Amino acid sequence: MPRILYLVHNLSDPAVGRRIAMFRQGGAEVAIAGFRRGDAPATTLPLDAVVELGVTHDGRMMQRLGAAVAAAWRAPDWAKSLRRPDVIVARNLEMLGVAQRLMRIWDVAPTVVYECLDIHRLMLRHDGIGGAMRALEQRFMRNVQVVITSSPAFVRNYFNIHGAPPVHLVENKVFAPGLAAFGSNPALADQPSVLRVGWFGALRCKASLAALDGLTRHFEGRMEVTLAGRPALTEFADFHGAVERSPHLEFRGSFRYPQDLPELYSAVHFVWAIDFFEQGLNSEWLLPNRLYEGCLNGAIPIALVGTETARFIERLGIGVVIPDVSQTTLIALFEGMTRERLRQLAADVAAQDRALFLCEAPECVELVERLSGSKHAKAELEIAA
C-alpha cells in the first residue's frame, strides 16, 4: 500500500476531503499537512495523521507564500510525527515549496507530485512579478515527476508554453462512492410554469450575480435562480444583501457533498457554468465542478462561448452556449425557450454516459498507481494546441 503525504493550502476545502477519499479508494495510505483558512474550524478529516501548519487568508497569495516559507523552515520539526511517504502530493505552488524542503529530510527522497488545478492570476502577469512567479514555479518543478491538473486548457495554454513534467489529467468529476440515486431534470416529468437556474459551489463572480438578478427581475416570477455553496464574500460588495433584495434569487447556504447533489440539481432546469472571476485567464480554461455535478443529475449547462466549458459541452452536443451575459442575450435565450426545446435539451443531457461525469473506483486506482509509479512513467498526455 503506497503512502501519500498530501500537502494542502486549505484544510477546510471540501475538495481536499474528496481527493483524500479518492487516494484511499485507490488503495493508498494518506497523511495530510496544511494550513487552516482564516477563522475556519479545526479540520475533521478522517485521517490518523493531520498536521496543521498555521493560518492563511483568502485572496492573499503573498501572505500564503510567506506562511509556506515559514512552514518549510520548520519542516524538520513537524515532519517528525510522519512516516516517510512514498509520494508527496503538493496542492498549489506554495505547498510545492514545502515539498522541496521535505525531500531532504528522509534518506530516500519521496516522489513529488504537483497538483495545480487553477492557474493563479499572478502566474499570468506580463511583468516582473509574473516572471518571478513563473521562475519560482519552474525551480520548484525540477524535482517533480508528474503534474496533476483538471482541464486540457491548462495544459494547452500554460504548461505546454512554460514547460512542465508529464501531466496527468484528473477532471473534476463527481466522486460519490455508494451513492445509489441520481437526479433528473424536472422538465422530463412535467411542463414547468417557472424556469429555474441553479448556481452552486464556489460563488465568486459578481458579474454572474448581477446578470442573474437582472434576468429574474425581467421575467417577474417566471424565472427563479437558486444559489447554494460558499460565496467568496471578498468578491462582492454585499452578497447576502443583494440576494435578500432580489425577489427571485434564493440562497440556500452550504450543501453536503455528494449527498445533497441529486436533490439540489433536480430542483432546477439549468446549471449556470459561467464565471468571470479571472476573465480571459483561469475562468476561460477551467472545467468547474458544477459542470460535472449538473450534467450527472440532469441539469442543462449554460456556458460562455470560447471557454473550455463551452468546448466540453459542444463536443457532447448538449447544453446552451451564449456569446455574453448581457440582459439582451439572456432575455432572448429564455423567451425563446419553448417547452419542446427545454425537454429536448434535458433529454440530451440525460442520454449521456454517466462515466463522463462520475469518478468511480477504477479511476482512483489508476490515479494512485500513476502517482506511486511516476518515477518510471513517461509522458502520457498530449493535448493539441
Side-chain angles (χ1 to χ4, degrees):
M1 176 181 289
R3 291 194 297 272
I4 292 177
L5 172 60
Y6 196 23
L7 302 179
V8 302
H9 65 295
N10 182 1
L11 290 166
S12 302
D13 187 344
V16 167
R18 293 197 292 273
R19 183 69 84 225
I20 289 170
M22 288 178 64
F23 290 153
R24 297 177 74 179
Q25 179 77 45
E29 177 185 320
V30 184
I32 190 168
F35 295 95
R36 180 163 50 87
R37 188 60 61 85
D39 297 325
T43 180
T44 57
L45 294 168
L47 297 173
D48 294 330
V50 179
V51 178
E52 185 175 310
L53 301 178
V55 177
T56 56
H57 301 282
D58 233 352
R60 293 173 58 185
M61 180 66 164
M62 300 313 294
Q63 186 268 337
R64 285 164 42 190
L65 285 173
V69 169
W73 182 260
R74 303 193 313 269
D77 295 324
W78 58 259
K80 290 178 181 177
S81 63
L82 302 171
R83 295 175 64 192
R84 177 198 169 276
D86 300 301
V87 182
I88 299 174
V89 178
R91 188 179 179 102
N92 288 9
L93 178 60
E94 64 265 38
M95 304 315 296
L96 184 57
V98 178
Q100 301 305 307
R101 172 72 163 160
L102 286 173
M103 288 185 68
R104 298 192 291 270
I105 290 177
W106 291 287
D107 292 337
V108 179
T111 294
V112 177
V113 175
Y114 179 27
E115 184 177 36
C116 182
L117 306 182
D118 291 296
I119 309 298
H120 195 278
R121 64 173 74 94
L122 284 179
M123 310 301 296
L124 299 167
R125 288 175 57 157
H126 299 290
D127 58 9
I129 293 175
M133 294 297 294
R134 290 188 296 274
L136 181 64
E137 182 181 58
Q138 288 295 315
R139 179 181 177 185
F140 286 167
M141 283 200 296
R142 289 175 184 171
N143 296 317
V144 168
Q145 280 73 49
V146 66
V147 173
I148 296 175
T149 196
S150 58
S151 169
F154 293 146
V155 184
R156 288 196 309 270
N157 297 309
Y158 187 77
F159 290 114
N160 279 354
I161 293 172
H162 299 292
V167 178
H168 186 71
L169 186 67
V170 181
E171 295 177 77
N172 290 319
K173 295 182 180 182
V174 176
F175 180 65
L179 189 66
F182 300 96
S184 62
N185 198 299
L188 298 177
D190 57 32
Q191 299 295 334
S193 57
V194 177
L195 289 177
R196 293 185 170 85
V197 177
W199 183 26
F200 306 138
L203 311 178
R204 56 185 187 177
C205 177
K206 58 185 178 182
S208 291
L209 183 63
L212 293 170
D213 181 21
L215 178 65
T216 58
R217 289 179 186 272
H218 171 83
F219 281 95
E220 298 180 325
R222 291 179 290 137
M223 281 204 68
E224 295 178 354
V225 173
T226 302
L227 302 90
R230 299 182 303 147
L233 298 180
T234 55
E235 300 301 321
F236 301 93
D238 181 11
F239 174 83
H240 293 291
V243 173
E244 290 172 1
R245 289 189 295 271
S246 181
H248 306 296
L249 298 184
E250 178 190 8
F251 178 56
R252 294 189 178 178
S254 60
F255 57 88
R256 297 174 301 163
Y257 181 105
Q259 302 96 309
D260 292 342
L261 296 182
E263 180 181 358
L264 197 65
Y265 283 96
S266 291
V268 300
H269 301 98
F270 298 89
V271 56
W272 185 260
I274 294 174
D275 186 334
F276 292 98
F277 176 63
E278 291 183 341
Q279 186 176 3
L281 304 171
N282 197 66
S283 291
E284 291 190 4
W285 300 343
L286 57 78
L287 291 173
N289 291 322
R290 61 179 67 95
L291 171 64
Y292 298 90
E293 295 167 0
C295 291
L296 179 64
N297 292 287
I300 302 160
I302 302 174
L304 190 69
V305 69
T307 63
E308 193 67 17
T309 301
R311 295 186 188 96
F312 182 94
I313 65 175
E314 286 173 334
R315 284 195 300 269
L316 298 179
I318 62 174
V320 175
V321 176
I322 56 178
D324 54 59
V325 296
S326 67
Q327 290 300 290
T328 300
T329 296
L330 292 174
I331 290 169
L333 169 65
F334 288 104
E335 282 185 341
M337 189 60 61
T338 64
R339 292 181 175 182
E340 291 75 19
R341 187 183 182 209
L342 177 64
R343 187 176 182 86
Q344 185 59 57
L345 287 169
D348 291 341
V349 174
Q352 300 301 308
D353 185 349
R354 282 181 180 160
L356 293 167
F357 316 118
L358 183 66
C359 174
E360 298 190 276
E363 290 182 65
C364 299
V365 173
E366 178 190 1
L367 173 61
V368 170
E369 289 179 347
R370 176 68 180 89
L371 302 187
S372 59
S374 59
K375 280 188 175 179
H376 310 291
K378 295 181 181 180
E380 64 181 56
L381 181 65
E382 294 182 0
I383 299 181

